[in-house]
Structures are given as C-alpha cells and as structure tokens.
Amino acid sequence: MKLAPVRFYNTFGRTKEELRPAPDGAVRIYSCGPTVYRYVHVGNLRTFMLPDLLCRSLEYLGYATEQVMNVTDVGHLTDDTFDRGEDKMLVSARLENKSTGEIADHYTAAFLDDIRKVNIRPASHYPHATEYIAEMLDLIEKLIAKGHAYEIDGTVYYDIATFPAYGRLSRNSTDKLIAGARGEPDPRKRHPGDFTLWKAAGGHRLQVWPSPWGEGFPGWHIECSAMSMSILGERFDIHTGGADNVFPHHEAEIAQSEAVTGHQVVSIWMHGGLLMLSGARMAKSAGNFFRITELEEQGFDPLAFRYLALQAKYRAPLNFSTDGLAGADRALRQLRERIAGWSAHPGEDIAKVSEEWESRFRAAIADDLDLPAAMALVAELSRSSVTPPTKARLLTSWDRVLGLDLRRPAPEGSLPAGAAELLAAREKARAAKDFARSDQLREELGALGVTVFDTAGGQRIKK
Ligand code: AMP
Ligand code: ZN
C-alpha cells in the first residue's frame, strides 16, 4: 500500500522536504538525549517530545519507526559552545559525593520517570556514550587517516578547514567561527574553530580510557556520530535535537560522519524551538527552570504541559508560564469531561462525516507535524454539530498521536477544572503580598469546593 507523503522542515536547507524512507523499511530517527548529570526540566522535555510526536504521527499514518535516543554520560563539558570547561558528570559526582556511575544511573532513572509523566513513549534504543568508546576511537582514527584530524599532546582536534561544508547547517561563516572562538585556551590548534574529538586525560583520573594517543575521554560531538551510525547505519532518515544543538553539536556531527563515510548520512535535520521562561531560555545553569514533578506537586496534571506544547509549532520558541499551564490544565480536564459525556450519549456514528475530519487531521500531522492545526481541529470538532459518538470516536483515535489520555476518567479526589489556575494565581498574590487578591481567590476556590489554608510552608488545600 502506498503511504501518504509526509513533509518536514529540514534545518539543512531551511525548506520543507518530503520524507523518503527506504522502501518497506522503518523510518529511522536519532535524537540527542539527556546528559545525565542532573534532573531534566520541562524545556528538555519539550525537545524530547519532538521524536515522540514524530513516531506517533508517522505510525498513525502507517509508517514503521525505529528511534534511538542517546544518553550522554561522559564528555559533555560545562562550556559546550567552545568545548572547554569541566566534564558535567565529574562536577556532579564531586558535588554529590558519588561515583559517575551512580550519578548516571540516578539521573537516567529520573529521566525515564519524567518522560513517562508526559506520555513520551520510550525510544527503541537508549545507548550510553560510555558503551561506545571503541566505536568513537574507530571513527577518530579514520578521521586522522583521511587527513581531517590531528593530534597535539594526546588531544585530537577536527581540522575544520578540511571540510568545506562546515558551517552550512548553522549558516556560520568561518569568520564568525573565528570571532566566536576568542579566548580559546589551546593556541596550537590549526584553526580556532577546530573542535575536540578526543581529550587527553590531563589531571582526570575518572572516566578515562586508553587510546592510541594516551589516556583520555571523547568529545561530546563524536559520541552522536558513533552511536547514530552504529545503531541506525550510515544513512538514516531524521535527526532531532533542540535549536541550541544546531551549532556546534550538529555542525560537528555532520563534519565527522560525512568525512568518514564520504556521503550524506542524515536526510532531514529537525530542531525543536526552545522553551523560554520570563524571556530567557529555560536552563539549569541560570536557575530558571521547572521540573515536571514540581508542576505536578503544584496540582497540575503533567499532561497539561503536553497540551501546552501541542498548541505551539514545534519549531517556534514557546514562552512558559504557570498561568499558561493553568489554562492548558483546565482545557484538558474540560475536554476529557466532554468526551466522557459524548461517549455516554446515544446517537449515530456517521462514517462519511468522520472520514472528512479524519483526512483533515492526517493532513495536519503530515504537514511538518502541524500539531497546532491538529489541536485547532480538536476544538472545531468539539464545537461542531457532528454526532456525539462520532466526536468521541475521532478524538479517541487522534489521541494516539496527541497522547493526552483523553479517555482517562477524572481521578478520585482530583482538583475541579479551574482550581489549579486559581491556586497558582493565589500563590503569586501571596508572594506579592497582595492579600486582598489572595482572599478573593480563596473565596473563588471555596466556590469550587476547595478549601485553602496557609501554612509556614505555603498554601495547602482540602477538598
Ligand atoms: P542537555 O541535557 O543539556 O544536553 O539537554 C538535552 C536537550 O534539551 C538538548 O537537546 C537541548 O537542546 C534541549 N534543551 C535544553 N534547554 C532547552 C530549553 N530551554 N528548551 C528546549 N529544549 C532545551
Ligand atoms: Zn547529539
């Protein structure tokens, strides 16, 4: 059977392109995953949701998928733009007084728990960088043999001048790369923009491996070349990451993988827009971030975050606020309540009507994963005069892509619709010492059957 064509925006070339998987093969997808030195925040989750939405949409349209997401447990330095600083894993191990293995295990488990909360289905494979050191060494040796890399005192650099396409993905010129690399600590590099493939151990005693150039550890970029090609082969369909991965991470990956193989490896590069908080990128280092568990503790359904993310185009930056999340939470609960009502409602399921709506939904997801359009269709269908059983059946089917648990009954003891929003507003009012507003919000919550009282540790509720 001929599958419907699907188009995705390719960062490389900045145009929408038709997906052309190998005939009868699965669509092969590689995604940059977490560096497991701390908990992931909802900004990271937004980026990890992209391959999940891709796989769900492709499967809905009849394609098979195979998805790899790597787990970085070595080599990601604190300054990844200039490839310097300390290894993030070692910093956490020192601060938490644990081994790097313990750090990796703890945060990998937490990552898997967090993605489950927002219905991100697990990838087919989760390779750990430390399990692919031999493959990385093999690629680095090939790069040296082909004249693309050189060694200085046990550290191996990629010679970017030998790869004329370097800078094409990110549209960086060599001049800009030079300007960007100011303050570079190793003046012996041939070009200030040359990046590290293998780093000499130096003072490191942990997380070091023997190599032809002495003890050391891999650079972050070579990890993804090694893991992607080892598992998916030398040509695969889609590579995803966050917008901040375009440069230097993915630019370097192209230079490595294509220089070794002599051909294009990735067909389509897809990048998720960043999640912003009060105008700045949500980031652990800046301290402006939320974990999904924190939002859950505030009374939000974790899937409200998924709902919020679905309403924005995946490529666009998205501003996060608890007010916005509260709106999504309320809308999601209402939608579930309505669907429960529709499925209980008698009426006729009309196949012909349903086909038209179905083809509009499929067209939306096949057009560069247009989930905002799909969500608009959900709203339009809800308001329409379509019979209740048809509405319920269509929305239940679309939920295979949306992943919002639309058929989940309201849990025993859950907050009534709108309560989370009022609680968040009251928390803000209290923080701003606006007690008149906080009292008014207490009354509104009371009207919903939620009693709120204040303790030294913040507001608490009784239903
Ligand atoms: P890291 O664990 O720092 O390597 O980040 C994991 C992934 O999360 C990377 O692919 C980043 O692009 C992505 N990421 C980091 N911060 C944000 C953010 N504020 N919004 C969206 N994605 C992000
Ligand atoms: Zn990567």
Side-chain angles (χ1 to χ4, degrees), residues 408-415 463:
R408 185 207 289 166
E412 195 70 36
S414 65
L415 284 175
K463 287 186 288 285

Side-chain angles (χ1 to χ4, degrees), residues 30 32 70 220 224 239 249-250 253:
Y30 182 89
C32 290
N70 76 289
W220 176 38
C224 285
H239 195 311
H249 190 48
H250 292 162
E253 187 177 330

Side-chain angles (χ1 to χ4, degrees), residues 233-397:
E234 290 188 354
R235 295 178 201 267
F236 58 93
D237 302 290
I238 301 175
H239 195 311
T240 78
D244 58 322
N245 291 147
V246 174
F247 185 85
H249 190 48
H250 292 162
E251 195 74 78
E253 187 177 330
I254 292 174
Q256 295 162 163
S257 301
E258 296 195 3
V260 167
T261 61
H263 59 69
Q264 187 183 348
V265 174
V266 173
S267 299
I268 299 181
W269 287 89
M270 292 177 74
H271 292 97
L274 295 181
L275 192 69
M276 315 291 286
L277 188 62
S278 317
R281 170 185 157 184
M282 188 176 282
K284 166 83 177 183
S285 51
N288 63 331
F289 66 95
F290 285 102
R291 272 192 75 191
I292 194 71
T293 49
E294 292 176 90
L295 299 173
E296 195 177 21
E297 281 157 17
Q298 289 179 26
F300 294 108
D301 181 337
L303 291 180
F305 177 70
R306 192 174 170 102
Y307 188 102
L308 186 78
L310 291 178
Q311 284 178 304
K313 183 73 192 169
Y314 76 85
R315 294 194 260 131
L318 171 63
N319 271 313
F320 178 85
S321 69
T322 42
D323 286 354
L325 186 65
D329 190 279
R330 194 184 42 194
L332 177 58
R333 283 167 206 261
Q334 278 171 355
L335 185 58
R336 287 189 187 131
E337 282 166 23
R338 296 176 78 183
I339 294 175
W342 290 327
S343 24
H345 208 283
E348 209 186 330
D349 187 356
I350 303 165
K352 180 144 185 349
V353 174
S354 153
E355 237 170 68
E356 281 168 30
W357 286 93
E358 182 63 23
S359 68
R360 288 176 69 193
F361 181 80
R362 285 169 181 262
I365 58 175
D367 178 18
D368 191 30
L369 225 51
D370 197 346
L371 287 149
M375 291 298 280
L377 206 60
V378 168
E380 190 186 328
L381 174 68
S382 303
R383 286 191 308 265
S384 74
S385 58
V386 170
T387 64
T390 306
K391 282 184 184 175
R393 195 176 49 74
L394 280 168
L395 290 170
T396 305
S397 171

Side-chain angles (χ1 to χ4, degrees), residues 115-144:
I115 62 167
R116 196 177 310 122
K117 284 186 189 296
V118 291
N119 271 352
I120 292 176
R121 300 184 318 178
S124 326
H125 315 267
Y126 285 111
H128 283 63
T130 50
E131 293 160 3
Y132 285 81
I133 303 290
E135 288 80 356
M136 296 176 209
L137 290 173
D138 181 52
L139 290 181
I140 298 169
E141 290 193 76
K142 284 182 177 145
L143 287 169
I144 293 177

Side-chain angles (χ1 to χ4, degrees), residues 426 429 434-444 454:
R426 187 165 183 275
D434 183 351
F435 297 114
R437 172 112 181 98
S438 109
D439 285 347
Q440 179 203 338
L441 288 162
R442 183 207 301 272
E443 273 180 33
E444 288 178 33
D454 298 317

